[in-house]
Amino acid sequence: MAENAIEEAPRTREGASRNPFMRLWTFLKEVLVELRKVVTPTRKELIRYTLVVLVFVVFMMLLVSGLDLLFGSFVGWMFGDLPMFGLAG
């Protein structure tokens, strides 16, 4: 399969045109060749991928929020502006 892709779109500099319109046309043809290879996911796959992304985003949000609280509290305690973790005492 990879051999066919190489044969379909040779990438030699010798025959490359300096005409920008020909280069654009060649680029668009290669884009269409690549778009034909795209496989749309099934509904089940789409839901699974969406859930994976949402779980990852929530995890990263909690991680960054926790680190922000930790470092912000430490800096506030260090310079005497805020008590550690917002706890009075």
Side-chain angles (χ1 to χ4, degrees):
M1 183 168 178
E3 294 170 358
N4 293 340
I6 293 172
E7 291 173 8
E8 289 173 5
R11 300 205 183 265
T12 59
R13 284 256 187 223
E14 298 168 8
S17 172
R18 301 210 36 100
N19 182 353
F21 295 109
M22 288 304 296
R23 291 176 61 192
L24 178 63
W25 181 251
T26 303
F27 172 74
L28 292 175
K29 286 194 306 188
E30 290 177 8
V31 167
L32 289 176
V33 167
E34 293 299 321
L35 283 175
R36 286 188 196 110
K37 298 177 187 177
V38 174
V39 178
T40 56
T42 63
R43 182 175 180 86
K44 186 177 179 181
E45 290 173 334
L46 189 62
I47 291 171
R48 179 177 292 143
Y49 297 154
T50 303
L51 289 175
V52 167
V53 169
L54 289 176
V55 168
F56 178 75
V57 167
V58 168
F59 171 76
M60 292 305 295
M61 184 178 66
L62 292 173
L63 178 68
V64 170
S65 297
L67 289 173
D68 181 53
L69 175 67
L70 179 70
F71 290 127
S73 295
F74 179 71
V75 169
W77 171 77
M78 190 175 201
F79 291 108
D81 293 341
L82 298 171
M84 190 68 134
F85 299 112
L87 302 173

